[in-house]
Amino acid sequence: MLRDVDVLVYDIQDAGARFYTYVWTMALSADAAGRAHIPFVVLDRPDPIRGDRVEGGVLDTAYRSFVGEYPVALRYGLTPGELLKYLVGTGQVHADVHVVPMQGWHRSMWYSATGLPWVNPSPNLRSQAALALYPGTVFFEGTNLSEGRGTAAPFQLVGAGWLTDAGAIARELNLLNMGGVRFDSTSRAIAAGQKWGGDTIPMLHVAVTDPDRVKPVQVAAYMLQIIRRRHAADFKWLLPHMDQLAGSDALRKAVDAGTVAELLPRLVAQSQVFAQATRPYLLYGPRTTP
C-alpha cells in the first residue's frame, strides 16, 4: 500500500481517550511509514476534553488491543501530535514524525472554547457532555447494559430492562457527591441493532453540571459497583472487551469485590507517573494543577 507514497499525513479530530481507535491507526500507520522510510506528518488537533487532565490508569500491555495499543493513560491529556511524539521518543513507535502545531490552543481548553465548529468525532459522540463522560461510561460497552447507543444521548444514558430501581440507584449515586455530575432516572426506547434494541428500558441519565469537575472514570466505576451490587444475578461482564477497555482486569475485579474506593487512588498514581513521563513531549506549554 505504501509503494510510491512520498508522505503520509494524519488529520483527524481526537476524543482524548485511549479507546478512541483513530490514534492507534495513526500510531500503526506511522510505524509502517517508518519501516518504509516515508515521513509521517500530523496536522495537530485539540484534545477536546482538555490537555491538562490525565486520569484512569495506564494500560497493562497484557491487555493490548485496538482500543488500547500502547501503555498510555486512559485520559492521556495530549494532542495527537504530542501522543505520537511521546511514542516515538520512548521507542515504542519507529517513525520520522513531523507535527504541524496548532495556533491559539491552550491546555485548559475544552473544545467549546476553541471557536471551531463542532463536528461529531464519532457518530455516537454528539456533544461536549458526551465527550466529558466518554472516558468512563464507555466501560458499559463491556457489560450487558446499554451505554446509550440507539438513543439520542449515547454515553450519557445507561440502562437495562432489569434496571427497575434506576431511581434508587440515582439517589445513591447523588449521595456520593461526585463533582460535576447529577444522576436521574428515566426510560428510553432503544433503536434496533443495539443492546436492548427495540425495547423501552429504564435508564440512568448522567447530567454534566460542571465539566471542569467531572472525573469520568470515578463516575463510571461507582455506577458499575452500585449496579453490580444491586443486580448480581442480572449483571454480566462482556469479556475480554471490558478488560481491554479498562486496560487491565483491575477495575472489573474491584467492581466485583466492592473495592472501587481502594482502586481509584492506584489509578491516580499511575496517571501521575504517565503525566510526568510525557512532559518532555508537550508542544503547548506544561500542565499545571487544575
Side-chain angles (χ1 to χ4, degrees):
M1 291 175 66
L2 296 178
R3 185 178 304 156
D4 300 324
V5 170
D6 296 316
V7 62
L8 281 181
V9 180
Y10 179 88
D11 181 20
I12 297 178
Q13 176 55 47
D14 194 22
R18 188 176 62 216
F19 13 72
Y20 188 68
T21 57
Y22 290 111
V23 290
W24 306 129
T25 298
M26 173 185 71
L28 294 168
S29 299
D31 204 59
R35 290 194 300 273
H37 307 291
I38 295 169
F40 192 91
V41 176
V42 178
L43 306 184
D44 217 4
R45 297 271 196 136
D47 183 329
I49 55 174
R50 300 182 58 149
D52 58 354
R53 302 293 174 88
V54 180
E55 63 178 291
V58 174
L59 174 83
D60 178 342
T61 54
Y63 296 86
R64 171 179 269 174
S65 75
F66 198 42
V67 291
E69 285 281 354
Y70 293 93
V72 304
L74 189 153
R75 182 180 181 179
Y76 40 73
L78 300 167
T79 67
E82 290 173 332
L83 176 60
L84 190 55
K85 282 176 64 68
Y86 165 73
L87 294 172
V88 170
T90 52
Q92 299 178 75
V93 169
H94 300 89
D96 176 18
V97 171
H98 306 266
V99 178
V100 179
M102 296 175 283
Q103 294 181 350
W105 185 76
H106 304 288
R107 308 206 76 82
S108 61
M109 282 183 172
W110 289 90
Y111 192 85
S112 59
T114 64
L116 298 171
W118 175 269
V119 177
N120 293 345
S122 181
N124 287 291
L125 290 172
R126 303 174 187 171
S127 67
Q128 181 170 286
L131 274 175
L133 295 169
Y134 175 64
T137 51
V138 75
F139 292 142
F140 285 92
E141 286 185 1
T143 75
N144 62 340
L145 287 94
S146 166
E147 66 281 357
R149 294 180 189 269
T151 74
F155 304 112
Q156 297 171 264
L157 291 163
V158 169
W162 41 261
L163 201 71
T164 53
D165 57 345
I169 293 172
R171 289 191 290 274
E172 185 173 350
L173 286 163
N174 284 327
L175 288 173
L176 295 176
N177 292 315
M178 290 184 282
V181 292
R182 179 156 185 84
F183 302 88
D184 204 350
S185 58
T186 185
S187 64
R188 291 288 189 276
I190 309 296
Q194 304 294 339
K195 281 186 286 184
W196 299 96
D199 295 339
T200 297
I201 62 172
M203 303 193 86
L204 291 165
H205 176 239
V206 191
V208 175
T209 58
D210 182 352
D212 288 330
R213 298 180 61 213
V214 174
K215 296 182 178 179
V217 175
Q218 176 195 59
V219 167
Y222 278 114
M223 290 176 72
L224 285 163
Q225 180 170 277
I226 291 170
I227 293 170
R228 166 78 171 80
R229 171 170 52 80
R230 284 175 168 266
H231 293 278
D234 301 307
F235 181 96
K236 298 288 188 299
W237 296 111
L238 303 181
L239 297 175
H241 190 51
M242 175 60 200
D243 293 349
Q244 291 170 342
L245 288 168
S248 78
D249 61 1
L251 177 58
R252 173 171 56 85
K253 289 181 175 179
V255 168
D256 285 344
T259 57
V260 160
E262 298 172 18
L263 171 67
L264 291 173
R266 299 203 300 273
L267 299 183
V268 169
Q270 291 178 19
S271 302
Q272 289 173 341
V273 171
F274 178 80
Q276 186 64 30
T278 55
R279 282 179 64 86
Y281 305 96
L282 302 184
L283 298 174
Y284 306 96
R287 299 185 187 95
T288 57
T289 302

